[in-house]
Amino acid sequence: MASTGVYGLAGLFCATAAGVFLLTGAPTMTKLSSYDPQVKELLSKMTLDEKIGQMTQPEQDGLKDPADVEKYFLGSVLSGGNSDPKEGNSLQAWTDMYDRIQRHSRNTRLGIPILYGVDAVHGHNNVLGAVIFPHNIGLGCTRNAALVAKIGRITAEEVRATGINWAFAPCVTVPQDERWGRTYEGFSEDPQLVKTLGEAAVHGLQGVSLSDPLSVLACAKHYVGDGGTTYGSAKGGKGLDQGDTRVDEATLRRIHLPGYVSAIQAGVASIMPSYNSWNGVKCSASKRLLTEILKQELGFEGFLISDYNAIDQIDPNYKTAIGVSINAGMDMVMVPTKYRVFFDDLKELVHEGTVPMARIDDAVTRILRVKFAMQLMDKSRSPIADRGLHKSFGSPEHRQVAREAVRESLVVLKNEHKLLPLSKGAARIHVAGKSADDIGNQCGGWTISWQGQSGAVTPGGTTILAAIREAVSKQTNVTFSKDGTGATGANIGVVVIGEKPYAEFQGDRADLSIDKDDLAAVTNMKKAGIPVVVILISGRPMIINDVLAQGDSFIAAWLPGTEGQGIADVLFGDYNPTGTLSFSWPRSMAQIPINLGDRNYDPLFKYGYGLRY
Ligand code: BGC
Ligand code: BGC
C-alpha cells in the first residue's frame, strides 16, 4: 500500500444484514464556492482566449500539435476509449504522455494546470496491467457500499500512478431496459441502490478531500435519464442508446435524479450531461436540466463536461449548437478533434453577444474552483505524475480487493441437490464454454479498448479456468474443451457462456437469448451424464430458460473483470455466496422492460433474489 490512509474511508461504513449505512456521515467536503475569492482574482487577470481555453477539452490523439495546449490555453485533455499513447500501451507510456501534455500547460502565461480525464469506469481500464474490477452491474449485486468506496480508492490510486487526475465515473444511470448496451454500466434498476452506491463511489474516487494526491476528480454521468430511453427512439429509429426519455418530470425525478442528488451531497465536482434527450430536447441543450435543476435547485457548484461530440447533436450548425449548450449551462465541452473550430466559434458567439460574458465567467469560475480545490494552483505542488505509485499499480493487494468484489457480486440462481459448493478433491472436473478461458470476455467493454475484445487483452489477471486449476487439489484432473465435448468420465462439468464484449450503442440488442454455440456447449456436457454448473458472463440478465433447465446449478457472474479466483471462491465454497440481483430477471423478451414496482410484476427471478449455501 502506498499510504496507510488509503482505505480509511471504508471505516465510515457499516454493513449489517439490512444493508449498509454511513456511520459518521460523508466526509466534510469543503464547499467549492469557498474558493471564490482566489478564483475571482485569477479570473480578473484572464483574457477571453484564456477563459475559452479553460472550457475546451480535446482528445489527446486529436491534438494537431501538443503545443496547442499552450496556444489555446486548454483547460483539459481527455483520453477516450481508444486513445492510447502513440508510443504504445504501457504504464510508462501513459505516464509519459500525461506528463508531456501537463508540462505544456506550465508554459502558458498563467500556468493553470490541465485536468486530464479518462474513463476509469472499472479500474484504470485503458491501461495494460491495471486491475480490472467488475462492471457496476456486478457491484450492484454486492449491495456493499464500503467495498464500492474501496474500489474507488484503488482506482484513484492507479489512475494517479499515470498522473491522470480525473475519472469519468461513477456512472449513476438507472437502466430500465435490458436491451440497452449500457445496462452493465449501471449499479441497478432501483434508484435507491444507485443512490447509495453512486455516493460510495464518489467518496472512494475523490477521497476525503480533492486535495489528496491520491484522489481523482469524479464525474457523475450521464445526466439525466440515459437509462430510461424509449425503445426505437435512438438514431435511425433503432434501439435505445442516445434516444429519447419520454417521461414526465415527476418520473424523471423519481427514477433518474436520485443518483445525482447523492453524488452532489458526496461532493462530486463534475457531472457529464448525457447524449439522450428528455421529451425531445437533448439534455446538453436543456437549461431546465442543467441550470435550473442541477445548479440552482440542487446547488451543484462544480462544472459540467459535455459528452464526446454530444453537443453536435443539438443542431446541424455547429456554432448554433455551441451557443445553445453553453447558454443552457454547459461549462466545458468534450470536443475530441475540432477544438480549434469550437474555440473560434465560441469567441465569435461572445463577441456577437449570443453568449453573455457572465455565462463564460460562471463556467470558468466553476472549473477553476475545482482546480483550486485540487490544489492544482498551489505552485509548491507539482502536477507532474508521482511515479512512486507505479509500485502498487496492478498489485496483488489491489487484485485481492477485486477478487473480493467478484465473489460478492456473483448471484447463484439455481442449485439443485446442493451441487454447489463443489469438492476440491473431485477426481476430474471438465470445464467448457467460450468464456472459461478468456480474460477479455470476463472484462467486457471499456477494457483496454472502447468496445473491449475477446482474448488475452491484458496481462496479470486470472481466467476462470486458471482459477479452477489453482483452487483444486493436486489429485484433481481439470480438463477443458470449448464446445463441451470430451466430458465423459468427469465427475462434474462447469460451462462458462454468455456475451462477448461491447460498449454503448454497439451493445443495443433486440434479442437477448443465449447463443447457439453456448447452448450446444451445455448440451454436450449434459450428454456425458454429469452434473453441470453453468456460469453466465454477461452485461445484463439474458433469456436463459433452456440453459437454466439443463444446468444443475446456475451462477450469474456479470462482467467480473480480471480476477477469476473470485469465481472459484464461490464454486468451491471458500465463500458462501451473498450476491443478490440488482435487476429483475425477465422470463422472455416480451417481458422487457421489466422493473421493480411494475404492475403485474412476475419476473423469472425477482429483484433481490440470490441463493446461499
Ligand atoms: C461516453 C462516455 C465517456 C466518453 C469519453 C462517450 O462516448 O458516452 O461515457 O465518458 O465517451 O470516452
Ligand atoms: C471513443 C470513445 C467514445 C466513442 C464515442 C470512441 O471512438 O474512443 O471514448 O466514447 O468514440 O462514440
Side-chain angles (χ1 to χ4, degrees), residues 438-471:
D438 196 311
I439 289 271
N441 286 1
Q442 271 171 229
C443 291
W446 296 108
T447 307
I448 307 307
S449 60
W450 176 41
Q451 289 296 317
Q453 211 185 315
S454 295
V457 292
T458 187
T462 306
T463 68
I464 297 166
L465 176 63
I468 291 174
R469 289 204 159 118
E470 218 172 78

PDB file of all heavy atoms in Angstrom, residues 438-471:
ATOM      1  N   ASP A 438     -10.986 -16.845 -20.968  1.00  0.00           N
ATOM      2  CA  ASP A 438     -10.965 -15.631 -21.776  1.00  0.00           C
ATOM      3  C   ASP A 438     -11.106 -14.371 -20.911  1.00  0.00           C
ATOM      4  O   ASP A 438     -12.211 -13.981 -20.531  1.00  0.00           O
ATOM      5  CB  ASP A 438     -12.096 -15.698 -22.815  1.00  0.00           C
ATOM      6  CG  ASP A 438     -11.918 -14.683 -23.923  1.00  0.00           C
ATOM      7  OD1 ASP A 438     -11.673 -13.504 -23.597  1.00  0.00           O
ATOM      8  OD2 ASP A 438     -12.026 -15.063 -25.097  1.00  0.00           O
ATOM      9  N   ILE A 439      -9.971 -13.754 -20.621  1.00  0.00           N
ATOM     10  CA  ILE A 439      -9.964 -12.541 -19.795  1.00  0.00           C
ATOM     11  C   ILE A 439     -10.771 -11.417 -20.450  1.00  0.00           C
ATOM     12  O   ILE A 439     -11.487 -10.675 -19.781  1.00  0.00           O
ATOM     13  CB  ILE A 439      -8.496 -12.036 -19.593  1.00  0.00           C
ATOM     14  CG1 ILE A 439      -7.735 -12.979 -18.674  1.00  0.00           C
ATOM     15  CG2 ILE A 439      -8.457 -10.608 -19.081  1.00  0.00           C
ATOM     16  CD1 ILE A 439      -7.844 -12.654 -17.207  1.00  0.00           C
ATOM     17  N   GLY A 440     -10.654 -11.324 -21.772  1.00  0.00           N
ATOM     18  CA  GLY A 440     -11.358 -10.252 -22.483  1.00  0.00           C
ATOM     19  C   GLY A 440     -12.864 -10.360 -22.301  1.00  0.00           C
ATOM     20  O   GLY A 440     -13.543  -9.359 -22.036  1.00  0.00           O
ATOM     21  N   ASN A 441     -13.400 -11.572 -22.439  1.00  0.00           N
ATOM     22  CA  ASN A 441     -14.843 -11.761 -22.228  1.00  0.00           C
ATOM     23  C   ASN A 441     -15.232 -11.465 -20.782  1.00  0.00           C
ATOM     24  O   ASN A 441     -16.295 -10.905 -20.518  1.00  0.00           O
ATOM     25  CB  ASN A 441     -15.256 -13.190 -22.586  1.00  0.00           C
ATOM     26  CG  ASN A 441     -15.276 -13.428 -24.092  1.00  0.00           C
ATOM     27  OD1 ASN A 441     -14.966 -12.528 -24.880  1.00  0.00           O
ATOM     28  ND2 ASN A 441     -15.616 -14.637 -24.490  1.00  0.00           N
ATOM     29  N   GLN A 442     -14.366 -11.858 -19.836  1.00  0.00           N
ATOM     30  CA  GLN A 442     -14.644 -11.599 -18.418  1.00  0.00           C
ATOM     31  C   GLN A 442     -14.760 -10.099 -18.142  1.00  0.00           C
ATOM     32  O   GLN A 442     -15.513  -9.668 -17.287  1.00  0.00           O
ATOM     33  CB  GLN A 442     -13.475 -12.095 -17.551  1.00  0.00           C
ATOM     34  CG  GLN A 442     -13.549 -13.527 -17.098  1.00  0.00           C
ATOM     35  CD  GLN A 442     -12.253 -13.993 -16.436  1.00  0.00           C
ATOM     36  OE1 GLN A 442     -11.763 -15.043 -16.806  1.00  0.00           O
ATOM     37  NE2 GLN A 442     -11.706 -13.274 -15.482  1.00  0.00           N
ATOM     38  N   CYS A 443     -13.942  -9.324 -18.866  1.00  0.00           N
ATOM     39  CA  CYS A 443     -13.862  -7.882 -18.562  1.00  0.00           C
ATOM     40  C   CYS A 443     -14.947  -7.072 -19.270  1.00  0.00           C
ATOM     41  O   CYS A 443     -15.378  -6.042 -18.784  1.00  0.00           O
ATOM     42  CB  CYS A 443     -12.496  -7.331 -18.946  1.00  0.00           C
ATOM     43  SG  CYS A 443     -11.172  -7.962 -17.890  1.00  0.00           S
ATOM     44  N   GLY A 444     -15.359  -7.515 -20.472  1.00  0.00           N
ATOM     45  CA  GLY A 444     -16.390  -6.786 -21.200  1.00  0.00           C
ATOM     46  C   GLY A 444     -15.873  -5.524 -21.872  1.00  0.00           C
ATOM     47  O   GLY A 444     -14.665  -5.372 -22.099  1.00  0.00           O
ATOM     48  N   GLY A 445     -16.794  -4.619 -22.215  1.00  0.00           N
ATOM     49  CA  GLY A 445     -16.439  -3.370 -22.886  1.00  0.00           C
ATOM     50  C   GLY A 445     -15.651  -2.453 -21.967  1.00  0.00           C
ATOM     51  O   GLY A 445     -15.456  -2.746 -20.790  1.00  0.00           O
ATOM     52  N   TRP A 446     -15.183  -1.345 -22.497  1.00  0.00           N
ATOM     53  CA  TRP A 446     -14.391  -0.392 -21.719  1.00  0.00           C
ATOM     54  C   TRP A 446     -13.217  -1.105 -21.043  1.00  0.00           C
ATOM     55  O   TRP A 446     -12.949  -0.915 -19.861  1.00  0.00           O
ATOM     56  CB  TRP A 446     -15.230   0.338 -20.670  1.00  0.00           C
ATOM     57  CG  TRP A 446     -16.302   1.217 -21.236  1.00  0.00           C
ATOM     58  CD1 TRP A 446     -17.648   0.976 -21.193  1.00  0.00           C
ATOM     59  CD2 TRP A 446     -16.158   2.476 -21.920  1.00  0.00           C
ATOM     60  NE1 TRP A 446     -18.332   1.991 -21.809  1.00  0.00           N
ATOM     61  CE2 TRP A 446     -17.459   2.927 -22.259  1.00  0.00           C
ATOM     62  CE3 TRP A 446     -15.059   3.266 -22.292  1.00  0.00           C
ATOM     63  CZ2 TRP A 446     -17.684   4.126 -22.948  1.00  0.00           C
ATOM     64  CZ3 TRP A 446     -15.299   4.458 -22.968  1.00  0.00           C
ATOM     65  CH2 TRP A 446     -16.591   4.876 -23.280  1.00  0.00           C
ATOM     66  N   THR A 447     -12.539  -1.962 -21.794  1.00  0.00           N
ATOM     67  CA  THR A 447     -11.367  -2.637 -21.261  1.00  0.00           C
ATOM     68  C   THR A 447     -10.277  -2.619 -22.330  1.00  0.00           C
ATOM     69  O   THR A 447     -10.459  -3.221 -23.391  1.00  0.00           O
ATOM     70  CB  THR A 447     -11.684  -4.097 -20.884  1.00  0.00           C
ATOM     71  OG1 THR A 447     -12.831  -4.117 -20.020  1.00  0.00           O
ATOM     72  CG2 THR A 447     -10.508  -4.746 -20.157  1.00  0.00           C
ATOM     73  N   ILE A 448      -9.235  -1.896 -22.071  1.00  0.00           N
ATOM     74  CA  ILE A 448      -8.101  -1.674 -22.975  1.00  0.00           C
ATOM     75  C   ILE A 448      -8.549  -0.922 -24.228  1.00  0.00           C
ATOM     76  O   ILE A 448      -7.898   0.025 -24.637  1.00  0.00           O
ATOM     77  CB  ILE A 448      -7.350  -2.993 -23.316  1.00  0.00           C
ATOM     78  CG1 ILE A 448      -6.965  -3.707 -22.010  1.00  0.00           C
ATOM     79  CG2 ILE A 448      -6.104  -2.723 -24.165  1.00  0.00           C
ATOM     80  CD1 ILE A 448      -6.183  -2.888 -20.978  1.00  0.00           C
ATOM     81  N   SER A 449      -9.658  -1.324 -24.819  1.00  0.00           N
ATOM     82  CA  SER A 449     -10.222  -0.504 -25.891  1.00  0.00           C
ATOM     83  C   SER A 449     -11.674  -0.179 -25.559  1.00  0.00           C
ATOM     84  O   SER A 449     -12.247  -0.749 -24.630  1.00  0.00           O
ATOM     85  CB  SER A 449     -10.131  -1.248 -27.225  1.00  0.00           C
ATOM     86  OG  SER A 449     -10.859  -2.455 -27.130  1.00  0.00           O
ATOM     87  N   TRP A 450     -12.219   0.729 -26.334  1.00  0.00           N
ATOM     88  CA  TRP A 450     -13.595   1.204 -26.090  1.00  0.00           C
ATOM     89  C   TRP A 450     -14.592   0.052 -26.056  1.00  0.00           C
ATOM     90  O   TRP A 450     -15.338  -0.122 -25.087  1.00  0.00           O
ATOM     91  CB  TRP A 450     -13.945   2.208 -27.195  1.00  0.00           C
ATOM     92  CG  TRP A 450     -15.339   2.741 -27.164  1.00  0.00           C
ATOM     93  CD1 TRP A 450     -16.063   3.111 -26.066  1.00  0.00           C
ATOM     94  CD2 TRP A 450     -16.167   2.987 -28.306  1.00  0.00           C
ATOM     95  NE1 TRP A 450     -17.292   3.577 -26.453  1.00  0.00           N
ATOM     96  CE2 TRP A 450     -17.378   3.523 -27.813  1.00  0.00           C
ATOM     97  CE3 TRP A 450     -16.004   2.849 -29.684  1.00  0.00           C
ATOM     98  CZ2 TRP A 450     -18.430   3.887 -28.673  1.00  0.00           C
ATOM     99  CZ3 TRP A 450     -17.044   3.220 -30.528  1.00  0.00           C
ATOM    100  CH2 TRP A 450     -18.241   3.727 -30.019  1.00  0.00           C
ATOM    101  N   GLN A 451     -14.563  -0.781 -27.096  1.00  0.00           N
ATOM    102  CA  GLN A 451     -15.528  -1.879 -27.194  1.00  0.00           C
ATOM    103  C   GLN A 451     -15.123  -3.111 -26.392  1.00  0.00           C
ATOM    104  O   GLN A 451     -15.921  -4.009 -26.197  1.00  0.00           O
ATOM    105  CB  GLN A 451     -15.723  -2.268 -28.666  1.00  0.00           C
ATOM    106  CG  GLN A 451     -16.483  -1.233 -29.479  1.00  0.00           C
ATOM    107  CD  GLN A 451     -17.912  -1.054 -28.995  1.00  0.00           C
ATOM    108  OE1 GLN A 451     -18.617  -2.013 -28.705  1.00  0.00           O
ATOM    109  NE2 GLN A 451     -18.346   0.196 -28.883  1.00  0.00           N
ATOM    110  N   GLY A 452     -13.856  -3.174 -25.946  1.00  0.00           N
ATOM    111  CA  GLY A 452     -13.356  -4.411 -25.357  1.00  0.00           C
ATOM    112  C   GLY A 452     -13.151  -5.446 -26.451  1.00  0.00           C
ATOM    113  O   GLY A 452     -13.481  -5.202 -27.617  1.00  0.00           O
ATOM    114  N   GLN A 453     -12.640  -6.607 -26.076  1.00  0.00           N
ATOM    115  CA  GLN A 453     -12.287  -7.611 -27.083  1.00  0.00           C
ATOM    116  C   GLN A 453     -12.119  -8.965 -26.404  1.00  0.00           C
ATOM    117  O   GLN A 453     -11.660  -9.022 -25.263  1.00  0.00           O
ATOM    118  CB  GLN A 453     -10.948  -7.196 -27.693  1.00  0.00           C
ATOM    119  CG  GLN A 453     -10.745  -7.577 -29.126  1.00  0.00           C
ATOM    120  CD  GLN A 453      -9.344  -7.229 -29.586  1.00  0.00           C
ATOM    121  OE1 GLN A 453      -8.859  -6.136 -29.306  1.00  0.00           O
ATOM    122  NE2 GLN A 453      -8.709  -8.147 -30.271  1.00  0.00           N
ATOM    123  N   SER A 454     -12.426 -10.037 -27.115  1.00  0.00           N
ATOM    124  CA  SER A 454     -12.169 -11.372 -26.578  1.00  0.00           C
ATOM    125  C   SER A 454     -10.677 -11.638 -26.579  1.00  0.00           C
ATOM    126  O   SER A 454      -9.936 -11.036 -27.360  1.00  0.00           O
ATOM    127  CB  SER A 454     -12.851 -12.433 -27.449  1.00  0.00           C
ATOM    128  OG  SER A 454     -14.245 -12.290 -27.399  1.00  0.00           O
ATOM    129  N   GLY A 455     -10.253 -12.548 -25.699  1.00  0.00           N
ATOM    130  CA  GLY A 455      -8.854 -12.976 -25.711  1.00  0.00           C
ATOM    131  C   GLY A 455      -8.041 -12.395 -24.580  1.00  0.00           C
ATOM    132  O   GLY A 455      -8.576 -11.767 -23.660  1.00  0.00           O
ATOM    133  N   ALA A 456      -6.731 -12.611 -24.674  1.00  0.00           N
ATOM    134  CA  ALA A 456      -5.828 -12.199 -23.588  1.00  0.00           C
ATOM    135  C   ALA A 456      -5.530 -10.712 -23.707  1.00  0.00           C
ATOM    136  O   ALA A 456      -4.439 -10.304 -24.082  1.00  0.00           O
ATOM    137  CB  ALA A 456      -4.553 -13.024 -23.649  1.00  0.00           C
ATOM    138  N   VAL A 457      -6.524  -9.867 -23.381  1.00  0.00           N
ATOM    139  CA  VAL A 457      -6.402  -8.434 -23.651  1.00  0.00           C
ATOM    140  C   VAL A 457      -5.448  -7.707 -22.721  1.00  0.00           C
ATOM    141  O   VAL A 457      -4.923  -6.658 -23.071  1.00  0.00           O
ATOM    142  CB  VAL A 457      -7.767  -7.707 -23.628  1.00  0.00           C
ATOM    143  CG1 VAL A 457      -8.622  -8.132 -24.796  1.00  0.00           C
ATOM    144  CG2 VAL A 457      -8.493  -7.944 -22.309  1.00  0.00           C
ATOM    145  N   THR A 458      -5.240  -8.249 -21.525  1.00  0.00           N
ATOM    146  CA  THR A 458      -4.372  -7.538 -20.579  1.00  0.00           C
ATOM    147  C   THR A 458      -3.645  -8.555 -19.693  1.00  0.00           C
ATOM    148  O   THR A 458      -4.207  -9.610 -19.392  1.00  0.00           O
ATOM    149  CB  THR A 458      -5.196  -6.521 -19.739  1.00  0.00           C
ATOM    150  OG1 THR A 458      -4.304  -5.734 -18.940  1.00  0.00           O
ATOM    151  CG2 THR A 458      -6.228  -7.191 -18.835  1.00  0.00           C
ATOM    152  N   PRO A 459      -2.390  -8.252 -19.340  1.00  0.00           N
ATOM    153  CA  PRO A 459      -1.639  -9.207 -18.516  1.00  0.00           C
ATOM    154  C   PRO A 459      -2.010  -9.102 -17.036  1.00  0.00           C
ATOM    155  O   PRO A 459      -2.560  -8.089 -16.602  1.00  0.00           O
ATOM    156  CB  PRO A 459      -0.193  -8.757 -18.722  1.00  0.00           C
ATOM    157  CG  PRO A 459      -0.286  -7.285 -18.990  1.00  0.00           C
ATOM    158  CD  PRO A 459      -1.598  -7.059 -19.678  1.00  0.00           C
ATOM    159  N   GLY A 460      -1.713 -10.154 -16.303  1.00  0.00           N
ATOM    160  CA  GLY A 460      -1.818 -10.064 -14.842  1.00  0.00           C
ATOM    161  C   GLY A 460      -3.055 -10.675 -14.232  1.00  0.00           C
ATOM    162  O   GLY A 460      -3.082 -10.951 -13.042  1.00  0.00           O
ATOM    163  N   GLY A 461      -4.093 -10.897 -15.026  1.00  0.00           N
ATOM    164  CA  GLY A 461      -5.325 -11.434 -14.447  1.00  0.00           C
ATOM    165  C   GLY A 461      -5.349 -12.951 -14.450  1.00  0.00           C
ATOM    166  O   GLY A 461      -4.374 -13.613 -14.800  1.00  0.00           O
ATOM    167  N   THR A 462      -6.481 -13.512 -14.042  1.00  0.00           N
ATOM    168  CA  THR A 462      -6.653 -14.966 -13.967  1.00  0.00           C
ATOM    169  C   THR A 462      -7.969 -15.339 -14.633  1.00  0.00           C
ATOM    170  O   THR A 462      -9.018 -14.811 -14.256  1.00  0.00           O
ATOM    171  CB  THR A 462      -6.684 -15.412 -12.485  1.00  0.00           C
ATOM    172  OG1 THR A 462      -5.516 -14.907 -11.833  1.00  0.00           O
ATOM    173  CG2 THR A 462      -6.693 -16.930 -12.365  1.00  0.00           C
ATOM    174  N   THR A 463      -7.908 -16.253 -15.602  1.00  0.00           N
ATOM    175  CA  THR A 463      -9.169 -16.686 -16.213  1.00  0.00           C
ATOM    176  C   THR A 463      -9.878 -17.632 -15.246  1.00  0.00           C
ATOM    177  O   THR A 463      -9.275 -18.126 -14.282  1.00  0.00           O
ATOM    178  CB  THR A 463      -8.936 -17.424 -17.549  1.00  0.00           C
ATOM    179  OG1 THR A 463      -8.287 -18.666 -17.278  1.00  0.00           O
ATOM    180  CG2 THR A 463      -8.106 -16.589 -18.522  1.00  0.00           C
ATOM    181  N   ILE A 464     -11.120 -17.909 -15.548  1.00  0.00           N
ATOM    182  CA  ILE A 464     -11.895 -18.802 -14.676  1.00  0.00           C
ATOM    183  C   ILE A 464     -11.274 -20.201 -14.690  1.00  0.00           C
ATOM    184  O   ILE A 464     -11.114 -20.831 -13.647  1.00  0.00           O
ATOM    185  CB  ILE A 464     -13.373 -18.812 -15.119  1.00  0.00           C
ATOM    186  CG1 ILE A 464     -13.946 -17.392 -14.951  1.00  0.00           C
ATOM    187  CG2 ILE A 464     -14.189 -19.830 -14.318  1.00  0.00           C
ATOM    188  CD1 ILE A 464     -15.266 -17.151 -15.641  1.00  0.00           C
ATOM    189  N   LEU A 465     -10.867 -20.657 -15.870  1.00  0.00           N
ATOM    190  CA  LEU A 465     -10.224 -21.971 -15.969  1.00  0.00           C
ATOM    191  C   LEU A 465      -8.947 -22.016 -15.119  1.00  0.00           C
ATOM    192  O   LEU A 465      -8.733 -22.959 -14.346  1.00  0.00           O
ATOM    193  CB  LEU A 465      -9.887 -22.278 -17.440  1.00  0.00           C
ATOM    194  CG  LEU A 465      -9.119 -23.575 -17.707  1.00  0.00           C
ATOM    195  CD1 LEU A 465      -9.938 -24.800 -17.294  1.00  0.00           C
ATOM    196  CD2 LEU A 465      -8.721 -23.688 -19.186  1.00  0.00           C
ATOM    197  N   ALA A 466      -8.125 -20.998 -15.245  1.00  0.00           N
ATOM    198  CA  ALA A 466      -6.882 -20.954 -14.460  1.00  0.00           C
ATOM    199  C   ALA A 466      -7.190 -20.921 -12.965  1.00  0.00           C
ATOM    200  O   ALA A 466      -6.508 -21.562 -12.157  1.00  0.00           O
ATOM    201  CB  ALA A 466      -6.045 -19.745 -14.863  1.00  0.00           C
ATOM    202  N   ALA A 467      -8.240 -20.199 -12.608  1.00  0.00           N
ATOM    203  CA  ALA A 467      -8.611 -20.094 -11.188  1.00  0.00           C
ATOM    204  C   ALA A 467      -9.092 -21.435 -10.656  1.00  0.00           C
ATOM    205  O   ALA A 467      -8.797 -21.807  -9.516  1.00  0.00           O
ATOM    206  CB  ALA A 467      -9.699 -19.029 -11.007  1.00  0.00           C
ATOM    207  N   ILE A 468      -9.817 -22.183 -11.480  1.00  0.00           N
ATOM    208  CA  ILE A 468     -10.284 -23.517 -11.054  1.00  0.00           C
ATOM    209  C   ILE A 468      -9.071 -24.429 -10.860  1.00  0.00           C
ATOM    210  O   ILE A 468      -8.956 -25.131  -9.856  1.00  0.00           O
ATOM    211  CB  ILE A 468     -11.278 -24.102 -12.090  1.00  0.00           C
ATOM    212  CG1 ILE A 468     -12.590 -23.300 -12.065  1.00  0.00           C
ATOM    213  CG2 ILE A 468     -11.541 -25.587 -11.824  1.00  0.00           C
ATOM    214  CD1 ILE A 468     -13.606 -23.682 -13.135  1.00  0.00           C
ATOM    215  N   ARG A 469      -8.149 -24.377 -11.800  1.00  0.00           N
ATOM    216  CA  ARG A 469      -6.939 -25.221 -11.699  1.00  0.00           C
ATOM    217  C   ARG A 469      -6.156 -24.913 -10.429  1.00  0.00           C
ATOM    218  O   ARG A 469      -5.602 -25.805  -9.787  1.00  0.00           O
ATOM    219  CB  ARG A 469      -6.038 -24.994 -12.921  1.00  0.00           C
ATOM    220  CG  ARG A 469      -6.624 -25.579 -14.190  1.00  0.00           C
ATOM    221  CD  ARG A 469      -5.557 -25.885 -15.249  1.00  0.00           C
ATOM    222  NE  ARG A 469      -6.071 -26.869 -16.193  1.00  0.00           N
ATOM    223  CZ  ARG A 469      -6.237 -26.643 -17.496  1.00  0.00           C
ATOM    224  NH1 ARG A 469      -5.903 -25.476 -18.034  1.00  0.00           N
ATOM    225  NH2 ARG A 469      -6.718 -27.598 -18.273  1.00  0.00           N
ATOM    226  N   GLU A 470      -6.120 -23.612 -10.096  1.00  0.00           N
ATOM    227  CA  GLU A 470      -5.385 -23.165  -8.913  1.00  0.00           C
ATOM    228  C   GLU A 470      -6.070 -23.645  -7.623  1.00  0.00           C
ATOM    229  O   GLU A 470      -5.408 -23.909  -6.624  1.00  0.00           O
ATOM    230  CB  GLU A 470      -5.414 -21.633  -8.926  1.00  0.00           C
ATOM    231  CG  GLU A 470      -4.191 -20.905  -8.481  1.00  0.00           C
ATOM    232  CD  GLU A 470      -4.380 -19.409  -8.764  1.00  0.00           C
ATOM    233  OE1 GLU A 470      -5.086 -18.731  -7.984  1.00  0.00           O
ATOM    234  OE2 GLU A 470      -3.848 -18.931  -9.799  1.00  0.00           O
ATOM    235  N   ALA A 471      -7.405 -23.731  -7.681  1.00  0.00           N
ATOM    236  CA  ALA A 471      -8.169 -23.977  -6.447  1.00  0.00           C
ATOM    237  C   ALA A 471      -8.237 -25.450  -6.058  1.00  0.00           C
ATOM    238  O   ALA A 471      -8.316 -25.780  -4.877  1.00  0.00           O
ATOM    239  CB  ALA A 471      -9.595 -23.424  -6.603  1.00  0.00           C
TER     240      ALA A 471
END
